[in-house]
Amino acid sequence: MAETRAPRTGRLRREAEGEAARFPALLAEAERIAASVMHGTHGRRRPGMGESFWEYRPHRREDGATRVDWRRSARGDQLFVRETEWEAANGVFLWRDGDAGMALSSPSLPVKRDRAAVCLIALASLLSRGGERIAALGETGPARGGRRGLERTAQALADGPGDVRSVEAPALPRHAHVVLASDFLDPAETWQARLAGLRASGAGGALLRVVDPAEEDFPFSGRTRFRDPASNGDLLFGRAQSARDTYQTLWREHADALARLARRSGFTLITHRTDRPAASAVMALYQVIAGMDR
């Protein structure tokens, strides 16, 4: 037993070390991008907003005992937290899709998952510098400000599971700002249901659609096998180029459906290809969030 366990332990340790090594690299890239776009931005802090009472909300486990409003809670059997206007209206919650398809990359280009993480961490850095409270949706609890809030959020965006259940059943304060980064390849009807749930809580924000060039251009020809990373099912074409026109038509129709859905749901859709600079996507995201409070 010990002999079989040792090789497995070593392999798992190497995999864990490899994943841990990704975080500093992604964080460094994100900070560089944030610094490059900082000159064109301005902070969103407003004096006095942090002390204005907004509403009571049910206490969550991650809030801890110190946030319980005992006077309000004493009126019944449920614990409540006194939420301020800053927390309710200015928290920004970020989510990076962890689906298996987000591990796709063309040669010499970053995988979609990592580019999505870099863009969101850079955005988080910009927002944090402006006094914003931030959190990774479903993974870090309430939105928090300062360097500690940024570190926790960045770690979750880089290495967290990115479970779509965080989007489907979010624990959000009213009127939160939300940024979702994904390839959004699930059917538009599926995303319609997810965004409707966010909209019901008063949330709005941006959708960062991260695309690998091969997905959009379909540069394949000849005998080509395509594999679904989630199911491991595959599809073999003898002449892949014969499917290009049909594929690109379907691709455009899906993108148009997403754009219409985003507008109806109070979100702005931003499409970013991984062969283009991340800074432009970060600036576009920041402008969306900054413009929501004007």
Side-chain angles (χ1 to χ4, degrees), residues 206-231:
L207 309 179
L208 178 63
R209 178 172 169 251
V210 181
V211 175
D212 186 271
E215 294 177 307
E216 188 167 49
D217 300 339
F218 200 83
F220 311 103
S221 61
R223 183 180 175 86
T224 307
R225 186 183 300 276
F226 298 91
R227 176 168 285 110
D228 183 340
S231 67

Side-chain angles (χ1 to χ4, degrees), residues 12 51 90 140 155 208 216 224 278:
L12 293 176
E51 302 303 322
N90 283 20
T140 57
Q155 184 80 55
L208 178 63
E216 188 167 49
T224 307

Side-chain angles (χ1 to χ4, degrees), residues 27 30-31 34 37-38 92-95 116-136 144-147 149-155 157 179 282 285-286 289:
L27 182 59
E31 290 286 9
V37 301
M38 189 66 186
V92 180
F93 294 80
L94 312 171
W95 177 78
V118 164
C119 288
L120 292 185
I121 294 170
L123 174 65
S125 178
L126 288 172
L127 293 171
S128 181
R129 296 180 196 190
E132 191 63 81
R133 295 174 184 263
I134 54 176
R144 301 187 185 279
R147 189 69 192 177
L150 175 59
E151 290 174 354
R152 293 175 64 215
T153 301
Q155 184 80 55
L157 292 171
V179 180
V282 175
L285 290 172
Y286 184 87
I289 298 302

Side-chain angles (χ1 to χ4, degrees), residues 169-190:
L172 287 171
R174 294 286 298 173
H175 309 296
H177 300 336
V178 176
V179 180
L180 309 179
S182 173
D183 53 19
F184 294 98
L185 290 181
D186 285 339
E189 296 79 11
T190 300

Side-chain angles (χ1 to χ4, degrees), residues 3-23:
E3 291 180 358
T4 59
R5 184 185 299 134
R8 181 174 180 273
T9 301
R11 176 176 57 80
L12 293 176
R13 184 174 64 250
R14 288 191 296 273
E15 290 178 2
E17 290 171 349
E19 286 298 308
R22 290 175 56 251
F23 175 63

